[in-house]
Amino acid sequence: MRIVIAKKLLSAVGGSEVQARALGRALAARGHEVEVVGMRPAWARPGIPSAAARGARGPVRERLDGIALTYVPVRGGAVGAALEGLLPTSLVDERLLAEVVAGADVVHSIAREWAGPIEKAARRVGAAFVETPLVHPGQRWGGDGSADIARYRRADAVIALTEWEASWYREQGATRVHVTGVGPVLESVPDVPPDPATVLFVGRKERYKGYHALREAARLVWRSRPDARFVAIGQRAWHDLLSRAGGDPRWDDRGVVSEEEKADAYARATMFAMPSDHETFGHAYLEAWTAGCPVIAGDIPPLWEVVREGVDGFHVRNHPDDIAAAILRLLADPDLARRMGEAGRERVRERWTWETIALLTERAYGAAVGSRA
């Protein structure tokens, strides 16, 4: 089967970007011809060849880890690409996309930024259109608008990451819905001794992710555990670039780091905390479990499926008091933290390997192609 996976932003860091690449590799390992398509960025991004951000005309292609990667230009040149990188716009030329995806059996859109043009390109070339919307109902640009819902109903397959998400699509009238989950994007964890009393956050530093509440929770934790350290990894929100991120040496605020640095941080952490108000799945919890860390997750329906309360993590409100209480409980009981981390690691091995995700996705593709026929 010839499969095109399309994702507007396609760097080698970030949840859905890395997931698109990992899914492509897993499907290629099952014998499919896979091409992953994204935009040519306005500036250099990790994992994207420098030629894609320079002035060469047309698509830029490379082959890596058994899959083809194609970066296409957008309307407006460098200015258009800059807007595409910052805003939920769709400036890609649908005819150019159609040329790139020609010959595909399945065109799979991951996230919603380019879903409209990708659907039109798929229809133009007669391919099955599959979408993984990563919906966040109730959030701004969360994918619950009328145009989005109409597209879910038209899609040959909608892939959800949890049963809760699948039920939401079905309530909106989508009938061809499948559940796959995702796999961990942390490939390996270095064999290094863990640092004592270290809390790790990895993700975009948005308020809804729990980053700001975690900063406040740190002050509460230090009252009884002044030895606790906090490490926060990820890109700052654009509206938060001018704010100060701590001022205490026990709060280590890092930006976007390499996969090796991120893996080292997971290996050294005592626990992982990302108490989100909005998540479709939360792949960072899988990364933490891969490293044997217990997790502190948001108290929301999709995460109730992923994180088992009291078994491999805790669910808390995105509030400093609740976050601090969960951190102190794990710091006070190292055996509990160890057991939770081991339970999470085993859960990843049982349910969320990329081999399993690829098989489930392949079945969804088959159903989509069948519905087109």
Side-chain angles (χ1 to χ4, degrees):
M1 187 181 296
R2 170 162 154 70
I3 299 163
V4 173
I5 298 173
K7 171 78 177 70
K8 182 170 85 168
L9 296 175
L10 202 57
S11 68
V13 297
S16 54
E17 291 95 325
V18 179
Q19 288 169 17
R21 291 169 176 254
L23 177 60
R25 291 193 297 270
L27 288 165
R30 292 187 59 80
H32 299 288
E33 179 188 349
V34 180
E35 182 174 10
V36 181
V37 176
M39 66 173 278
R40 286 185 53 182
W43 50 79
R45 288 179 177 268
I48 296 180
S50 58
R54 292 202 300 262
R57 299 178 64 86
V60 172
R61 294 181 169 87
E62 67 173 345
R63 189 161 188 87
L64 187 67
D65 298 331
I67 60 174
L69 293 109
T70 300
Y71 306 93
V72 299
V74 298
R75 297 184 182 94
V79 174
L83 292 174
E84 284 283 73
L86 296 172
L87 300 173
T89 54
S90 297
L91 300 178
V92 66
D93 187 325
E94 295 160 10
R95 292 171 297 178
L96 177 58
L97 266 184
E99 292 175 11
V100 171
V101 307
D105 300 295
V106 171
V107 177
H108 182 178
S109 172
I110 294 183
R112 302 173 307 279
E113 305 102 333
W114 274 8
I118 291 167
E119 180 191 16
K120 291 177 181 177
R123 301 305 186 200
R124 187 186 291 261
V125 301
F129 172 68
V130 177
E131 182 173 4
T132 299
L134 305 177
V135 70
H136 288 194
Q139 191 180 31
R140 181 182 294 181
W141 302 313
D144 54 358
S146 58
D148 292 305
I149 291 170
R151 192 178 63 252
Y152 307 152
R153 293 171 178 171
R154 292 192 304 266
D156 300 305
V158 173
I159 292 180
L161 305 187
T162 64
E163 292 293 344
W164 177 88
E165 186 190 0
S167 67
W168 186 89
Y169 295 126
R170 294 181 183 117
E171 288 170 1
Q172 313 314 311
T175 57
R176 295 175 287 275
V177 182
H178 308 262
V179 180
T180 64
V182 295
V185 296
L186 190 68
E187 294 186 359
S188 62
V189 180
D191 185 14
V192 296
D195 294 333
T198 301
V199 182
L200 177 65
F201 172 96
V202 177
R204 188 170 176 85
K205 294 171 181 174
E206 297 274 5
R207 193 170 299 277
Y208 80 86
K209 286 277 191 181
Y211 168 73
H212 296 76
L214 182 62
R215 280 166 46 179
E216 295 299 319
R219 298 183 175 91
L220 303 178
V221 170
W222 287 329
R223 291 176 185 174
S224 55
R225 288 297 300 262
D227 60 320
R229 291 183 63 253
F230 292 77
V231 177
I233 291 174
Q235 183 177 348
R236 298 289 293 276
W238 66 269
H239 51 75
D240 198 33
L241 292 177
L242 298 180
S243 68
R244 296 189 62 187
D248 191 295
R250 294 168 294 184
W251 181 275
D252 182 3
D253 215 307
R254 307 176 190 176
V256 175
V257 302
S258 67
E259 289 300 299
E260 292 76 14
E261 290 176 275
K262 184 176 71 170
D264 183 77
Y266 275 116
R268 295 181 184 278
T270 306
M271 69 190 74
F272 177 79
M274 190 177 71
S276 300
D277 285 330
H278 293 279
E279 289 291 343
T280 307
F281 186 96
H283 79 277
Y285 305 120
L286 304 190
E287 294 182 340
W289 285 333
T290 300
C293 290
V295 304
I296 298 172
D299 192 16
I300 55 176
L303 298 186
W304 298 342
E305 280 185 52
V306 178
V307 179
R308 296 171 295 182
E309 175 68 23
V311 178
D312 38 44
F314 294 126
H315 299 101
V316 300
R317 290 185 307 148
N318 187 350
H319 189 279
D321 291 343
D322 294 32
I323 299 167
I327 291 171
L328 289 170
R329 183 175 176 186
L330 288 171
L331 290 178
D333 194 340
D335 286 340
L336 174 64
R338 178 186 53 78
R339 291 196 303 271
M340 282 185 162
E342 290 176 352
R345 179 186 283 144
E346 186 60 30
R347 185 165 168 80
V348 172
R349 291 171 178 165
E350 290 176 353
R351 293 192 56 178
W352 291 308
T353 66
W354 277 110
E355 292 81 2
T356 299
I357 305 309
L359 175 60
L360 294 173
T361 305
E362 185 182 77
R363 291 174 180 169
Y365 290 167
V369 171
S371 69
R372 291 290 293 168

